[in-house]
Amino acid sequence: MVTDTISDMLTRIRNANMVRHQIVQIPLTKMSLAISEILKEEGFIEDFESYTENRKNYLLISMKYNGKSRQPVICKIERVSKPGLRVYANSKELPKVLDNLGIAIISTSSGVMTNLKAKELGVGGEVLCYIW
């Protein structure tokens, strides 16, 4: 069993991106579902759906590529806050990823959201990952 489900999810997406797979299977958790919703809203993935197999819930993510050469939309995906070293930011210290060309996913008391939405709402929280 995996202890850090967020790192596992990000690693699976990163690996599928490198070898240009069309879909990725990820164990379903509330956090992975919330992160997938953000990735879809921001245009980093095509779509996602959940399904059950042998009484276990999974999330299928459809990856997104550009052009005939299938260049990945996600250039880099990087975990920031880890179980051994949590990283928090208040609303005034929220990170800018590539001068707002990328996003940071923040876990706040109001739910999981991007750094731009958290700044707009004036809330801080745990910085989960950077994506660009």
Side-chain angles (χ1 to χ4, degrees):
M1 181 167 156
V2 179
T3 56
D4 187 7
T5 56
I6 300 170
S7 287
D8 181 54
M9 175 187 184
L10 298 178
T11 300
R12 287 178 191 228
I13 291 173
R14 188 181 312 114
N15 289 343
N17 212 20
M18 286 192 300
V19 294
R20 291 173 173 71
H21 281 245
Q22 190 60 42
I23 59 171
V24 184
Q25 179 182 338
I26 296 168
L28 181 65
T29 62
K30 290 179 185 177
M31 186 63 77
S32 65
L33 189 62
I35 292 172
S36 298
E37 287 172 359
I38 290 173
L39 291 177
K40 184 179 177 185
E41 286 172 13
E42 297 293 322
F44 288 107
I45 61 173
E46 286 286 333
D47 200 11
F48 65 92
E49 66 179 55
S50 60
Y51 77 99
T52 304
E53 182 180 293
N54 297 332
R55 292 186 289 174
K56 291 185 181 179
N57 296 325
Y58 293 101
L59 195 63
L60 276 182
I61 296 180
S62 298
M63 301 299 290
K64 190 173 185 179
Y65 300 99
N66 289 329
K68 288 185 178 182
S69 61
R70 292 178 44 100
Q71 288 298 317
V73 172
I74 298 174
C75 295
K76 183 145 182 164
I77 187 165
E78 162 181 314
R79 180 85 156 110
V80 177
S81 184
K82 300 173 179 146
L85 179 64
R86 300 289 185 187
V87 177
Y88 297 96
N90 64 27
S91 60
K92 294 179 180 101
E93 298 171 348
L94 288 171
K96 277 180 140 180
V97 181
L98 284 183
D99 208 21
N100 287 335
L101 291 176
I103 62 167
I105 297 180
I106 314 289
S107 176
T108 69
S109 57
S110 305
V112 180
M113 59 186 74
T114 65
N115 56 336
L116 301 175
K117 189 173 178 187
K119 192 170 196 89
E120 182 180 300
L121 294 175
V123 293
E126 183 179 356
V127 183
L128 299 178
C129 62
Y130 296 149
I131 302 167
W132 67 89

